[in-house]
Amino acid sequence: MTVIGDELQKSGASVVVDRPLIVNGLQTSHVIDLAARQQKLVPERASDGIVVRILESDDEVARDKIIASTNNQTKVPSSALYASQPEQREIERFLAMHDWYYERRKNLYRNRGS
């Protein structure tokens, strides 16, 4: 999994991530969460763990490059990466000035709590 956060705060073995965004491994996290909620997570497998890479960046351009580069292990249609194109961000900014929401990514505002 790859997670990007605006800011990371490390304390011992723990990391607090400000505004986390899962950019690779979202399906994995959903499956693990669902299995845990349904009490189908096998304890032996739960202790195996998963590898999570946490990157710190509040720069939109850098975030977009991370998203594109971490999602190339399988064929991803270019249309799936439209959300990170500069033009899409400009549309979002313009509409936001007029109190309109432009959802570049599915559930973008719901996930932000907006």
Side-chain angles (χ1 to χ4, degrees):
M1 289 181 72
T2 303
V3 178
I4 302 174
D6 286 351
E7 187 177 326
L8 305 180
Q9 299 162 17
K10 300 170 190 167
S11 175
S14 297
V15 177
V16 176
V17 182
D18 184 39
R19 286 184 11 120
L21 175 64
I22 298 174
V23 297
N24 185 286
L26 187 60
Q27 183 176 0
T28 300
S29 66
H30 279 295
V31 169
I32 292 169
D33 179 60
L34 180 63
R37 283 196 232 184
Q38 294 176 347
Q39 297 181 339
K40 294 181 179 178
L41 193 57
V42 179
E44 296 80 34
R45 292 299 307 262
S47 64
D48 288 346
I50 59 171
V51 175
V52 179
R53 176 177 27 189
I54 305 173
L55 305 169
E56 180 178 17
S57 178
D58 61 357
D59 177 78
E60 290 179 349
V61 174
R63 283 175 163 244
D64 290 344
K65 287 180 181 179
I66 292 167
I67 291 167
S69 66
T70 60
N71 285 290
N72 65 4
Q73 72 279 11
T74 57
K75 182 75 174 140
V76 176
S78 60
S79 61
L81 298 174
Y82 280 148
S84 58
Q85 291 181 338
E87 297 85 2
Q88 300 303 316
R89 290 192 184 280
E90 289 300 317
I91 293 169
E92 181 183 34
R93 284 187 193 102
F94 174 80
L95 292 174
M97 290 188 305
H98 301 285
D99 294 325
W100 283 60
Y101 289 103
Y102 178 65
E103 195 166 68
R104 293 180 293 111
R105 208 177 283 118
K106 185 177 179 181
N107 295 323
L108 177 67
Y109 292 99
R110 178 186 298 173
N111 294 339
R112 285 184 182 173
S114 301

